[in-house]
Amino acid sequence: MSSNELRRDAKESSESTDTLSRRDMLRLSGAGAAAVAGAMTFRVGRAAPVSERKIRLGVVGGGFGTSFYWHEHPNCVVTGVTDLRPERRERLKAVYHCDAVYDSLEEMSERADDIDAVAVFSGALDHVKHAQMCFARGWHVVSAVPACFTLEEAEQLKEAAERSGLSYMMAETSYYRQPAILAREMHAKGAFGNLFYTEAEYYHDRGDLERLAADKSTRFFEPDGSHSWRWGLPPMHYPTHSTGLLVGVTGERITKVSCLGWGGHEHPYVTDNAYDNPYWNQASIMQTDRGNMLRCNVFWLCSAHGERAQWMGDNAMLYMDKGGVHGPKLHFRTAGETASRYDLPVQDGGDVDVPIYWQTDMLPEAMRHNSGHGGSHTFLSAEFINALVEDRPPAIDLYESLAMTVPGIVAHQSARKGGEQLAVPQFDRAG
């Protein structure tokens, strides 16, 4: 069954039996909210499967890789950890209470015989190579973003995953940000009408430019003083925090893109990098296979920080706040249309009480707490393990991952061609 079919099945199931008002749930707190949520049948995630099976997980990468919660899932045990740096290996060992520590993924693949799946949180340029190594070893893969860096790598990843028959998931945090879960629910219920336009943006300011160039203790440098993969990274090569806010809500595919880049300040970051990238910031207009529009920004030099989206339909608009500058809003175009018709948590005036989904039984009890990137890390951890236990594709499977990643690669090509509109190749399942 395809991921689109799974989404349709979930929608049909929810529409037939969803009877509890989210507004009622929001009046509750703590254990009460979790208990009431158990009566809700609309699911964007799932609580722990009823199974005794344990997924034995290896974790690669002691930086970002330590910020997930595999060890809190009742169906998972971390049985191996690895990083090239000794101090990061110790951090992994401490966080996941795992004594099986390896100096490298290569060593783990040669020696470990008690691993079913691997969380690949190594440097971004190694994601495809490391995923291929894991598939060759017979291990399922969940990977940090982006899935790949080139169109050739996209093809290699698709071929390796399909040949292996194993699961692949990309840990895209935008998918489980709380407003994005609400947007996905609204779309499934038809509240937007035709969702014809989305704005999505990811801003991650590089800060003081003198320090950026001189302070070799930051993540832009390796221990030997050389530049890390982050130095000079083309913004659109890290697109998924933006593209995921459309692809992850509607399942659409981006088919065309036109992008512009801005260089601005003269600095080694944009004049001396491994990518020959001259841009701090990139902005694009993308078109989907349904004829809809996405305005997608990724900026590295700006007085802003964070992720934000705005979903606009011919029936309703949802505004996702960023950093508390503006509160989330929901407006219907037709005066007679009401949020209560769709059982949505909206007050008078359009303010939205975004449900705190991580407090509900969408997660195993031990994982019902806040986590990184807007509460998404517990959801990502749980979804990968649940999918393996239930023997189903994860929500952000191979094809969703490539659909979020590849448009950014093409967008950067467009910027280098002065904004020329380019076709985006598709990497969905054949047939």
Side-chain angles (χ1 to χ4, degrees):
M1 180 179 289
S2 71
S3 57
N4 287 335
E5 291 170 330
L6 286 168
R7 281 192 291 270
R8 286 198 300 271
D9 288 350
K11 175 184 174 183
E12 291 166 0
S13 173
S14 69
E15 289 176 342
S16 65
T17 58
D18 188 9
T19 59
L20 183 69
S21 167
R22 288 196 184 277
R23 196 183 305 269
D24 291 338
M25 185 188 81
L26 288 164
R27 286 198 293 264
L28 302 172
S29 62
V36 172
M40 298 173 60
T41 55
F42 185 92
R43 292 281 188 249
V44 189
R46 297 188 183 184
V50 180
S51 170
E52 297 299 319
R53 182 183 175 192
K54 296 283 188 181
I55 302 299
R56 302 170 300 175
L57 186 77
V59 181
V60 181
F64 189 51
T66 61
S67 65
F68 288 79
Y69 296 89
W70 324 105
H71 56 307
E72 292 184 351
H73 197 293
N75 294 95
C76 181
V77 57
V78 176
T79 54
V81 296
T82 181
D83 193 288
L84 297 178
R85 302 185 192 181
E87 70 279 8
R88 290 187 173 183
R89 292 197 292 270
E90 289 303 310
R91 189 184 312 162
L92 284 163
K93 179 180 177 181
V95 168
Y96 296 119
H97 313 293
C98 179
D99 291 327
V101 181
Y102 303 93
D103 290 349
S104 66
L105 175 59
E106 288 80 0
E107 182 189 3
M108 189 165 77
S109 66
E110 292 174 0
R111 293 178 49 200
D113 57 4
D114 59 349
I115 289 177
D116 303 306
V118 174
V120 173
F121 287 81
S122 50
L125 296 178
D126 291 326
H127 288 171
V128 171
K129 178 180 73 172
H130 286 170
Q132 290 173 312
M133 290 174 58
C134 293
F135 288 140
R137 187 64 172 78
W139 295 336
H140 304 282
V141 173
V142 57
S143 172
V145 305
C148 56
F149 259 79
T150 66
L151 298 180
E152 292 75 18
E153 281 195 338
E155 187 62 49
Q156 292 166 11
L157 178 61
K158 180 175 185 285
E159 194 276 333
E162 290 183 336
R163 184 177 66 247
S164 73
L166 297 164
S167 287
Y168 176 91
M169 174 175 161
M170 185 176 70
E172 174 41 52
T173 55
S174 69
Y175 193 91
Y176 287 115
R177 281 188 175 272
Q178 310 300 278
I181 298 176
L182 175 60
R184 193 154 52 247
E185 176 175 346
M186 288 180 59
H187 180 261
K189 290 183 174 182
F192 286 116
N194 179 16
L195 185 54
F196 63 88
Y197 176 73
T198 300
E199 294 181 354
E201 52 200 37
Y202 174 51
Y203 301 142
H204 200 305
D205 186 47
R206 293 314 189 216
D208 181 271
L209 296 187
E210 288 189 15
R211 180 174 183 265
L212 178 65
D215 187 352
K216 297 192 176 182
S217 68
T218 68
R219 60 183 181 165
F220 296 98
F221 292 88
E222 299 292 352
D224 64 3
S226 62
H227 290 137
S228 75
W229 65 269
R230 297 178 183 275
W231 181 268
L233 178 71
M236 281 294 172
H237 275 235
Y238 208 83
T240 60
H241 292 342
S242 294
T243 56
L245 290 167
L246 174 65
V247 174
V249 168
T250 69
E252 289 174 80
R253 296 299 187 248
I254 296 164
T255 57
K256 296 179 182 179
V257 58
S258 175
C259 181
L260 295 175
W262 177 81
H265 294 282
E266 192 82 1
H267 188 278
Y269 189 90
V270 290
T271 61
D272 180 21
N273 60 67
Y275 309 101
D276 191 27
N277 167 50
Y279 306 123
W280 288 103
N281 304 329
Q282 291 179 305
S284 66
I285 291 290
M286 301 180 175
Q287 186 176 54
T288 77
D289 56 348
R290 300 175 195 170
N292 298 322
M293 299 171 285
L294 168 66
R295 192 268 285 153
C296 174
N297 289 354
V298 185
F299 294 174
W300 296 153
L301 189 62
C302 57
S303 56
H305 185 84
E307 301 165 27
R308 191 197 70 82
Q310 180 171 309
W311 297 273
M312 299 187 70
D314 56 7
N315 190 54
M317 181 273 288
L318 177 64
Y319 180 95
M320 172 183 169
D321 69 328
K322 175 170 62 65
V325 176
H326 302 286
K329 295 277 187 179
L330 171 61
H331 292 287
F332 286 95
R333 183 178 63 85
T334 306
E337 194 79 357
T338 65
S340 60
R341 173 181 174 185
Y342 301 100
D343 191 23
L344 296 171
V346 184
Q347 307 168 14
D348 293 339
D351 290 335
V352 182
D353 293 320
V354 177
I356 305 174
Y357 293 98
W358 48 260
Q359 290 182 344
T360 75
D361 74 345
M362 290 167 61
L363 291 170
E365 186 171 0
M367 305 179 81
R368 294 174 197 167
H369 57 77
N370 201 358
S371 61
H373 288 82
S376 66
H377 286 203
T378 49
F379 280 93
L380 290 164
S381 305
E383 171 61 14
F384 182 60
I385 300 303
N386 288 350
L388 294 181
V389 172
E390 296 170 1
D391 193 25
R392 61 172 175 81
I396 316 167
D397 66 8
L398 171 71
Y399 308 106
E400 300 301 302
S401 302
L402 291 174
M404 294 177 188
T405 304
V406 168
I409 298 171
V410 179
H412 182 62
Q413 295 174 353
S414 170
R416 296 306 302 260
K417 294 183 178 182
E420 178 182 343
Q421 187 180 69
L422 300 177
V424 178
Q426 303 301 299
F427 291 88
D428 281 307
R429 189 190 307 272

